[in-house]
Amino acid sequence: MNQSDFNSLEDGLDGDTLHEECGVFGILGHPDASTLTALGLHALQHRGQEAAGIVSFDGQQFHTEKHMGLVGDHYTDPVTLAKLPGTVAIGHTRYSTTGEVALRNVQPLFAELEEGGIAIAHNGNFTNGLTLRRQIIATGAICQSTSDTEVVLHLIARSRHSSTADRFIDAIRQMEGGYSMLAMTRTKLIAARDPIGIRPLVMGELDGKPIFCSETCALDIIGAKFIRDVENGEVIICEIQPDGSITVDARKPAKPQPERLCLFEYVYFARPDSVVGGRNVYMTRKNMGMNLAREAPVEGDVVVPVPDGGTPAALGYAQQSGIPFEYGIIRNHYVGRTFIEPTQQIRAFGVKLKHSANRAMIEGKRVVLVDDSIVRGTTSLKIVQMIRDAGASEVHIRVASPMIFHPDFYGIDTPDADKLLANQYADVNAMAKYIGADSLAFLSIDGLYKAVGGAPRNPERPQFTDHYFTGDYPTRLLDREGEKVGRKVSMLASNG
Amino acid sequence: MNQSDFNSLEDGLDGDTLHEECGVFGILGHPDASTLTALGLHALQHRGQEAAGIVSFDGQQFHTEKHMGLVGDHYTDPVTLAKLPGTVAIGHTRYSTTGEVALRNVQPLFAELEEGGIAIAHNGNFTNGLTLRRQIIATGAICQSTSDTEVVLHLIARSRHSSTADRFIDAIRQMEGGYSMLAMTRTKLIAARDPIGIRPLVMGELDGKPIFCSETCALDIIGAKFIRDVENGEVIICEIQPDGSITVDARKPAKPQPERLCLFEYVYFARPDSVVGGRNVYMTRKNMGMNLAREAPVEGDVVVPVPDGGTPAALGYAQQSGIPFEYGIIRNHYVGRTFIEPTQQIRAFGVKLKHSANRAMIEGKRVVLVDDSIVRGTTSLKIVQMIRDAGASEVHIRVASPMIFHPDFYGIDTPDADKLLANQYADVNAMAKYIGADSLAFLSIDGLYKAVGGAPRNPERPQFTDHYFTGDYPTRLLDREGEKVGRKVSMLASNG
Amino acid sequence: MNQSDFNSLEDGLDGDTLHEECGVFGILGHPDASTLTALGLHALQHRGQEAAGIVSFDGQQFHTEKHMGLVGDHYTDPVTLAKLPGTVAIGHTRYSTTGEVALRNVQPLFAELEEGGIAIAHNGNFTNGLTLRRQIIATGAICQSTSDTEVVLHLIARSRHSSTADRFIDAIRQMEGGYSMLAMTRTKLIAARDPIGIRPLVMGELDGKPIFCSETCALDIIGAKFIRDVENGEVIICEIQPDGSITVDARKPAKPQPERLCLFEYVYFARPDSVVGGRNVYMTRKNMGMNLAREAPVEGDVVVPVPDGGTPAALGYAQQSGIPFEYGIIRNHYVGRTFIEPTQQIRAFGVKLKHSANRAMIEGKRVVLVDDSIVRGTTSLKIVQMIRDAGASEVHIRVASPMIFHPDFYGIDTPDADKLLANQYADVNAMAKYIGADSLAFLSIDGLYKAVGGAPRNPERPQFTDHYFTGDYPTRLLDREGEKVGRKVSMLASNG
Amino acid sequence: MNQSDFNSLEDGLDGDTLHEECGVFGILGHPDASTLTALGLHALQHRGQEAAGIVSFDGQQFHTEKHMGLVGDHYTDPVTLAKLPGTVAIGHTRYSTTGEVALRNVQPLFAELEEGGIAIAHNGNFTNGLTLRRQIIATGAICQSTSDTEVVLHLIARSRHSSTADRFIDAIRQMEGGYSMLAMTRTKLIAARDPIGIRPLVMGELDGKPIFCSETCALDIIGAKFIRDVENGEVIICEIQPDGSITVDARKPAKPQPERLCLFEYVYFARPDSVVGGRNVYMTRKNMGMNLAREAPVEGDVVVPVPDGGTPAALGYAQQSGIPFEYGIIRNHYVGRTFIEPTQQIRAFGVKLKHSANRAMIEGKRVVLVDDSIVRGTTSLKIVQMIRDAGASEVHIRVASPMIFHPDFYGIDTPDADKLLANQYADVNAMAKYIGADSLAFLSIDGLYKAVGGAPRNPERPQFTDHYFTGDYPTRLLDREGEKVGRKVSMLASNG
């Protein structure tokens, strides 16, 4: 599985990838607020490529730009940036899971409150969003988007507290699930992370001005300094004072709980150069490959990464096993836009549109393919075929994470459970046979825990969120229980 | 003044035209609902050219399309119409007065209520819209558009009545101003007209299915039968019953008042072939020209209409006076889109981009120019200059409506009062001098009343809405009184 | 038949209009050359709406812009005009007859010659263009466009003369047909008209700088002075001298022949305010209507023009006959772009998308419909039906030109001969029956000649080009004789 | 230096990359000709990303599509492919060196000859193109593009030979330089390679139908079989016979010379999985890295590739030296389109928009950066700075090719000689200082020869084209000698 810039191709052709919902970025008090936000979102582009939005406030008025497509397609030219003046800005880049893809659903969402405007953006998902949405509509509110983020706006608007910060806290206390959220008003930038910290969120600083963003790579691109992680359950309120100074007020409104970061941030989502929860992601991936080599050794002539997601783990596997690391698969970087809707004939070329076997490294060799994860197995099947066509004598697949059995409800787009490879076959041998590999092995859950955190999984109090592997959901799933009722909403299909 | 298809040019160059806010069309129970709505909106295009929207319901889901530009630019191709399936549809074509021009403000507006979705579209303006908006926000609602139409949705959502029809009536009883409104739900099409019927709204029928639209010309284009005017203060609720039959329920929730249709519908807005309030508009305009010839005769060689708005009145003036009617001004029909933002150099060519003098009809002649109305006089000035440059020996302007002194608050976009020609000069002679005409005369208010309704103005109980001429506003103007407070809202400038 | 801004609709729906191929404009030595050219082309937009091009020379380099669509869609914004710097410019607006519609066929065409670049643009058609094209290709030349204008470039390039002016004359002496042509080099603007002057071309002056354009209306819009017609068979070479002065050199390379201007310029193509061949076009059209009233009187209650083409003739008919002139058909000015490719369902609404009957002027009346010409009769049929549906007691059609029997080969796009109404029915009564009119009459050829030139047709030496009515082609038709061979060329279908 | 998909960014920001002009693909007699051509061009996209074109012939007519942008942006959807029917097709993907970027310059170019149409496409450059262009214009030809490829068309058109194949050979015998060329007619596909074979061109086969393309990777993507290289100086004419069979006629019209493939194909241009001149490109690059490790060892903690171009050489360097290979630089795959014209502020972020340092692999370490080549050094400078900012204790640069001193004239876009790093500094130490590296070393010319061909450079008869390193141009440079005269042509700046 690859951390792909071509998710549209992948969706159109294979759909064999998990997608992160979003990345967020916000800055307060900086004269280049929207330019820095655009750059930050560009660095977070791997977290969502379908659409991006930025809201800024210029002292008089809020400004918003929302566009389908990449940040670099819309937010870096002088015309667009000139439409986003001001010293406060938040931005959002999105791969949609909840709600259809329409501009009115693209975040940040904005609302006019009695005390002024507020914009919010978040990464994650609310497990009680639909339930709250129904309750709110029942009491006379109007929902204009199909995004569950709008629910937060309604809760803020309805809160009986007087300050915006208190209203915000009042609102998020009602939300369940996994989220990292930013809010901005005329003078404030607010950051919040869910009680167990499923999604990452970090605080940085540039020229003395506070920044919040999903990953440290968004700080690095603008040369900002990393301050600290926003803690699980924490709300940090930054405010420009009349004298121009900025105050920072950190609160913990929720009952303290241990943090449980999502393991998939390490396995696949986060950028390798980011530091998530204090750990360099690239190193954790190399560790996964090393542990995999220890757990599932194999006789091979060459270790070949499935680009690009499998590369660090493959390097770890090669270093640990002593088998040479080689680029046996070459990636085509130039996939264009109409590959999104190719003809049936072109669609049939599948993975070859993105990858090609480097025959000289493959022919006559026992190939150890290392990938980061396997979701449905459809892409793995095609890649194995491609490697065999290039003359490999044996193909062994080593996967640097455990088998995936369960869907996610915290902002990762997972296929239905019955589409997951692990649920379709009785055991790993049957899976290997389906994929066409001579052998197949997955990293153990303890192997993964050790690669990331140094210790095996503590079954009493797991250190990370890992339900897709284990079924151990870290929160209740209110909406899911009432799912059938939920079908009633979201009836407006917009093509705007 | 011309009833112009080039309002954007006019705005860019002269801004010397009044604009109608909107046209509406709705149909219930017809298999071609959205195609018929597109055609109806096309026929109503003269009421607003900036944007258009259509909402349909297909039995399962609401669908919406909103686009900036002409109906014929976006709504007549197979791809777009295929996105609007279903047998219920309402549409709206808009020239924006309230709220900035952004797609999220384009009507129809849609909301998810507890009992299902509702879409509304209206022509007119609420004189207490901002006031209500502030009240609603103060109680925890979120306003996403800057359109005051959204207020109606909130009032419907908050009503304590259980049926949608009752909720709708509850909402519009709180609204003041001039409006003709359509609403649609899964099974209902509702039409309402304000208590004194400032804006027109008619009911028609095609294949036994009810239609509501702003003017009869929208019935004519699709071959539908005119049934009757929706009466002032009336609400008509059409509903598809489970057996497929359609019930029609006409109510008068407001206290009965005499109707006062807006005179400007006759002077300028309505299409000449429409029947408004039972009167053929073209005939009323010819009558205005005839009465003008009686009230303000002049020795002339040729009567020349200022195209296209002045044409029927010019014909009436010519027939009454016996002076030959000739096309002394030729109109260029091919104004393109970038004339909206021309270079300064091209802008300087002003009216010549749209009109040219037909010298052979002008040279050496005493020209009687007939126009429908004069707003700021800036275009008149340029046209007189153009006629003089073409060699006219005398230029006399005859205006087929009274002087305009007062702004409108019922859906007509008027310049600030101090920009109106009538407020800038002491008398008609001073105006003539400014414009460069040898003489200038306006139709009297009684001359206009007689041309439209056959009788002079009844000062005790005026038969029409005429405040722009007389200052006699037919309703209170709540928002205007609290105007300064109102500046606080609408802070989100969207470029979406 | 209407002089329509909606030719695309008409093509899509009815195709019942003749189209002029082109309009041209050129200016030499003026600092605002391209802006003035854009304005001139805008005034000539009625001569072709499919595409427009401008070439300028800035002292160093030639610049070119070519765009599908209206002049005002592309040539009036600062960005585009900034791409056309310089003091020499020629422009062209086009309705394509020869060659497919592709940007590479849009004029002006440009070529690099040994002595420098040359750009040419013309209105008209060469009757030996394909023949010459074949000869040129046979001797090793490459034709990149499918436009026969390219042939002229090749002939210029191959001429053995040394001066560009002599090369140009050498080239056009080989061309047969009807054309008005402009050429520009770094220092020259050259104008040429075919030996009998089928297409119009006038010379004007602004700020002492020479201008050539198809009609006087293009001079009027920019306030330029009309100097004189370019004479039939004349070539006028204007050149900027090193001292900045401009020389004008008028030559008559061809054997003198009497002028024969195309009658359709008067009947339909030229703008009513233009002066063509010394005659105001509007007046000739009124004369046509007056002569028609004398030749084909009828008892009627109202004279109704078919807008917009029939309006001047209808006014003439009404004035001569004493029957009141009324707007019985209202035109919708807002036809959008997707009406070009509407759904079948919308297409079925046909003329109603552009016209509607003004019932109050029609109902119960004997209507005399006046149109400028009838080509295939399909639109007439629909308009008569519309008038009858509006309640007319009788419908009489009076056409202000003779029946059309023969195709044109000089730049007018005519349907195949067997599609022409006049060739499909035995006599005028059969045509009236097909169209559904109570009576039908056409202006006689002498009636038309008298309306335009004051005298009847001189059969020995006809004063005008009139072959579409009479079959009397004023030149030989070389290509037509070799038509089958001609099919071989133009095999490249470009979608660029 | 990176083999970049972001050349537009690189141009806009750094311009520190060499660009290949083109890739070509052609197929004869296959029912899916244009789909296969689109796929082949997609695989060759690394050879040029600015524009692509395809011409097909369907038995009746030639069809052409040309678009700016990626193959996958325009050529894979059903609508576009449907416009390219037929069984013969050639395609071209281009990075422009000669002639401005305008659609009329995008290849394939097409011409109508007496015996029918011909389309040509080539990769490379003619060193006598301008000289021939001037001669051709002097004899009365018209050049419509500014591409020197058009010269070939003129020579073909003017050839006195009767068969197209002979005309083609006649034409290319007059051309000097480096080129791999494809031509297609209604029934033929012709391939030609320059006398010393500077640019690569291979022959393949799918379903028994012949294919020619720039690299073997274009065969691999469609599952076609590699047949052989087109030899230097060879012309291969494939023709569909009336019975449907295809004949292949290989000729060697030029005097036999030894082959001298361009070394930069191995260093940078060709895709790593391609086999060029019988050698796997990836292996030659690894060899370069190994030889570099032998020639220029350094004490280091980590070998870091400059992505993506430096990766194979870095792996070779690491394997040879025993220093661990690590991803110390992470590449952002999501560069959007407006990064092409970013604001000055965003432009200032330079390489960070594409790369970021992976601090955990860098901090406190002695980093050996391996790149494929250094052109101007501006990017190297920024990358070293980025690595230092990430905490490297030492930065050593190892470049897997020799210093570049001389411009190319065979299809590689090189900066002016005085912009090349090697010409700006006295020695490698001065260069290292400028770049900010602790040490800098380049692979020797013999080291490169050995890596590619196994033997050191034979000074008497060099086995490869290597003038950029050595100044030894393999052909005369006719245009260059007459360069000043050449400035006269190409004066038409097109914005089409």
Side-chain angles (χ1 to χ4, degrees), chain A residues 85-113:
Chain A
T87 63
V88 197
I90 65 174
H92 187 267
T93 181
R94 161 193 181 86
Y95 172 83
S96 63
T97 57
T98 309
E100 4 112 41
V101 183
L103 273 180
R104 70 198 167 96
N105 280 339
V106 173
Q107 298 188 30
L109 294 187
F110 177 83
E112 201 74 65
L113 303 180

Side-chain angles (χ1 to χ4, degrees), chain B residues 266-267 272 280-294 309-321 325 370 372 400 443 447-448 450-452, chain C residues 301-303 323-328 358 360-361 365:
Chain B
Y266 295 101
V267 169
N280 173 258
V281 171
Y282 176 80
M283 279 306 305
T284 66
R285 287 183 192 161
K286 274 194 64 182
N287 291 342
M288 293 172 207
M290 286 175 164
N291 289 353
L292 184 60
R294 289 184 192 105
T311 306
L315 198 57
Y317 195 101
Q319 288 180 4
Q320 177 66 31
S321 67
F325 172 90
V370 178
D372 53 64
L443 184 62
L448 175 57
K450 282 187 286 180
V452 177
Chain C
D301 299 313
V302 64
V303 170
I323 305 171
F325 172 91
E326 295 288 0
Y327 289 92
N358 187 6
M361 293 298 105
K365 300 217 170 116

Side-chain angles (χ1 to χ4, degrees), chain D residues 374-377 403-407 414-427 430-431 442 467-469 473:
Chain D
I374 289 184
V375 182
R376 302 198 301 178
M403 291 185 212
I404 301 172
F405 291 98
H406 306 281
T414 30
D416 292 341
D418 60 0
K419 298 270 178 60
L420 294 166
L421 180 71
N423 292 328
Q424 291 181 298
Y425 293 93
D427 59 24
M431 292 179 216
F442 292 84
H467 50 87
Y468 17 76
F469 306 129
Y473 289 92

Side-chain angles (χ1 to χ4, degrees), chain B residues 12-316:
Chain B
L13 298 174
D14 308 301
D16 196 11
T17 314
L18 296 189
H19 293 288
E20 176 74 30
E21 199 175 337
C22 309
V24 296
F25 185 98
I27 185 164
L28 179 72
H30 199 286
D32 302 326
S34 60
T35 294
L36 294 167
T37 302
L39 287 162
L41 291 181
H42 170 59
L44 297 170
Q45 191 76 79
H46 58 287
R47 298 184 76 86
Q49 299 94 44
E50 289 204 350
I54 296 179
V55 170
S56 72
F57 180 72
D58 68 359
Q60 300 283 348
Q61 211 174 11
F62 288 87
H63 301 270
T64 182
E65 289 280 321
K66 295 180 180 185
H67 298 278
M68 306 306 288
L70 297 184
V71 175
D73 281 348
H74 299 290
Y75 291 95
T76 57
D77 64 297
V79 172
T80 305
L81 285 173
K83 290 182 188 161
L84 292 167
T87 62
V88 198
I90 65 173
H92 187 266
T93 180
R94 161 193 180 86
Y95 172 83
S96 63
T97 57
T98 309
E100 3 110 45
V101 184
L103 272 180
R104 69 198 167 96
N105 279 338
V106 173
Q107 299 189 27
L109 294 187
F110 177 83
E112 202 74 65
L113 303 180
E114 199 177 5
E115 69 275 26
I118 187 167
I120 60 173
H122 85 119
N123 167 217
N125 194 55
F126 302 117
T127 49
N128 65 338
L130 291 176
T131 307
L132 287 170
R133 198 170 191 271
R134 278 194 297 273
Q135 290 170 3
I136 287 166
I137 287 175
T139 57
I142 296 173
C143 283
Q144 301 250 349
S145 76
T146 58
S147 157
D148 66 355
T149 309
E150 193 181 357
V151 168
V152 182
L153 283 180
H154 280 287
L155 294 179
I156 294 170
R158 290 163 168 236
S159 169
R160 293 187 190 147
H161 288 275
S162 57
S163 85
T164 304
D166 289 338
R167 282 166 172 263
F168 179 83
I169 289 169
D170 194 18
I172 63 162
R173 288 183 75 160
Q174 299 172 64
M175 307 309 301
E176 300 172 6
Y179 55 84
S180 285
M181 183 171 292
L182 298 185
M184 70 175 267
T185 67
R186 296 149 169 247
T187 57
K188 294 193 191 76
L189 177 63
I190 305 173
R193 216 163 144 227
D194 70 72
I196 59 168
I198 296 175
R199 296 280 145 244
L201 190 62
V202 301
M203 183 176 189
E205 174 200 302
L206 182 69
D207 305 332
K209 309 302 180 189
I211 295 169
F212 297 98
C213 53
S214 296
E215 294 181 31
T216 57
C217 62
L219 298 175
D220 292 341
I221 194 174
I222 56 171
K225 194 177 144 196
F226 170 73
I227 304 287
R228 66 172 176 90
D229 286 339
V230 176
E231 290 177 30
N232 53 309
E234 190 177 29
V235 177
I236 305 182
I237 301 138
C238 301
E239 182 167 13
I240 305 182
Q241 298 302 319
D243 66 356
S245 67
I246 292 178
T247 53
V248 178
D249 172 15
R251 305 190 199 170
K252 289 234 176 175
K255 189 181 65 175
Q257 297 183 52
E259 183 183 50
R260 290 185 69 180
L261 255 161
C262 170
L263 276 177
F264 245 95
E265 295 283 346
Y266 295 101
V267 169
Y268 176 71
F269 292 135
R271 225 168 73 170
D273 54 326
S274 282
V275 175
V276 172
R279 304 167 192 99
N280 173 258
V281 171
Y282 176 80
M283 279 306 305
T284 66
R285 287 183 192 161
K286 274 194 64 182
N287 291 342
M288 293 172 207
M290 286 175 164
N291 289 353
L292 184 60
R294 289 184 192 105
E295 291 183 4
V298 62
E299 298 254 316
D301 299 313
V302 63
V303 170
V304 167
V306 178
D308 285 1
T311 306
L315 198 57

Side-chain angles (χ1 to χ4, degrees), chain C residues 102-115:
Chain C
L103 273 180
R104 69 197 168 96
N105 280 338
V106 174
Q107 298 188 30
L109 295 186
F110 176 84
E112 202 72 67
L113 304 180
E114 199 178 4
E115 68 276 23

Side-chain angles (χ1 to χ4, degrees), chain A residues 38 52-54 65-67 71 73-77 80-81, chain D residues 338 346:
Chain A
I54 296 178
E65 289 280 322
K66 296 181 179 184
H67 298 278
V71 174
D73 282 348
H74 299 290
Y75 290 96
T76 57
D77 64 297
T80 304
L81 286 172
Chain D
T338 58
I346 281 182

